[in-house]
Amino acid sequence: MGTLKKDFIIGFLIALFATFGGAFLYLEYFAAFSFEVSLELIRERSLHGKLLALAAIPNLFVFFIFIKKKQDVRAKGVLFATIMIALTTLIFKLV
């Protein structure tokens, strides 16, 4: 596998990890209820899209770190993952 593809995939995976980490941090520290209760409320009220949109905020920081370090291909992977998350959020909003 070429280094460009490898760096792109690394950026994509880091963005997904940052998104899951953002969702966990939001549910654990900023939600009004406990983690399990918050997850149940999200399922009941179909708030998946809103949670995903909030969880993608750490991708902004990851993107700018890669740009600052001149790792443009990894930044493209982060950008691609963020676009996929935005499309998923749109699908949740429409359904």
Side-chain angles (χ1 to χ4, degrees), residues 36-94:
E36 293 83 16
V37 174
S38 295
L39 283 178
E40 188 62 35
L41 288 173
I42 288 168
R43 277 189 218 108
E44 287 175 4
R45 298 180 185 173
S46 298
L47 298 174
H48 300 96
K50 292 182 181 185
L51 174 66
L52 212 61
L54 285 172
I57 292 173
N59 288 348
L60 180 68
F61 301 111
V62 174
F63 177 78
F64 282 117
I65 288 171
F66 284 147
I67 292 293
K68 181 79 172 171
K69 290 184 170 185
K70 299 192 187 304
Q71 296 176 344
D72 295 338
V73 179
R74 288 186 182 187
K76 287 180 187 178
V78 172
L79 184 62
F80 181 73
T82 305
I83 291 170
M84 291 294 110
I85 291 167
L87 290 175
T88 305
T89 302
L90 179 66
I91 290 169
F92 280 134
K93 179 85 171 168
L94 296 176

